[in-house]
C-alpha cells in the first residue's frame, strides 16, 4: 500500500491525536487535508493553551478539540496513535470503542 492509498483509506476512519504540539500539528493538518475526521486532545485548557490562533485554525479544519481535565475521556475513535514521549505515554482508559491503538515507537510515522 502506498502512502497516498493509506491516506485515502484513513479518510474512512476517525482518529484521536493525543497532544496538540510541535510533532502532532503537522500530522493533524495532513490528516484533515485528506478528509480524516480528527479529534485533537490536549491536557491544557483552551485558556492555558497559549495559541488561540492555532486552536481556531484546527476548528476551521473540522477538528474536534477535547481540552483540559478529562481530555482523554470517552475516546471512541477508530485509531489513537501514540508516539514516544520522554514523559511517558498518556493513560488511556480501556473504554469501549477503543478498537485499535497504534503505538508508533521512537520516531515512528503513523
Amino acid at each position: 500500500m502506498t502512502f497516498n492509498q493509506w491516506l485515502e483509506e484513513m479518510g474512512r476512519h476517525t482518529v484521536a491525536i493525543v497532544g496538540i504540539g510541535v510533532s502532532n500539528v503537522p500530522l493533524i493538518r495532513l490528516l484533515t487535508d485528506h478528509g480524516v475526521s480528527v479529534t485533537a486532545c490536549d491536557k491544557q485548557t483552551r485558556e492555558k493553551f497559549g495559541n488561540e490562533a492555532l486552536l481556531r485554525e484546527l476548528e476551521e479544519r473540522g477538528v474536534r478539540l477535547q481540552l483540559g481535565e478529562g481530555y482523554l475521556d470517552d475516546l471512541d475513535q477508530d485509531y489513537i496513535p501514540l508516539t514516544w514521549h520522554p514523559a511517558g505515554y498518556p493513560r488511556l482508559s480501556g473504554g469501549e470503542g477503543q478498537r485499535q491503538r497504534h503505538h508508533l515507537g521512537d520516531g515512528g510515522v503513523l
Side-chain angles (χ1 to χ4, degrees):
M1 174 182 291
T2 68
F3 185 65
N4 285 335
Q5 289 170 324
W6 179 83
L7 282 172
E8 184 178 322
E9 172 64 25
M10 287 304 295
R12 299 184 195 107
H13 296 282
T14 58
V15 177
I17 302 296
V18 178
I20 306 172
V22 173
S23 298
N24 285 337
V25 169
L27 175 60
I28 293 168
R29 288 176 177 144
L30 175 72
L31 293 173
T32 57
D33 284 348
H34 288 85
V36 179
S37 175
V38 174
T39 298
C41 309
D42 199 278
K43 65 182 173 183
Q44 296 297 323
T45 64
R46 186 177 203 108
E47 295 74 27
K48 291 185 179 181
F49 187 76
N51 191 341
E52 181 62 29
L54 174 60
L55 296 180
R56 279 195 305 267
E57 175 203 335
L58 296 178
E59 289 174 324
E60 288 169 7
R61 289 173 166 272
V63 174
R64 186 183 89 151
L65 300 177
Q66 199 159 305
L67 307 171
E69 187 176 332
Y71 74 109
L72 296 177
D73 293 347
D74 303 318
L75 296 179
D76 63 354
Q77 289 73 14
D78 298 323
Y79 293 94
I80 305 171
L82 300 177
T83 55
W84 183 85
H85 188 277
Y89 299 102
R91 291 179 161 261
L92 296 174
S93 69
E96 294 168 83
Q98 292 183 4
R99 293 181 285 285
Q100 298 180 24
R101 293 185 187 158
H102 291 266
H103 171 260
L104 303 180
D106 186 16
V109 177
L110 176 65

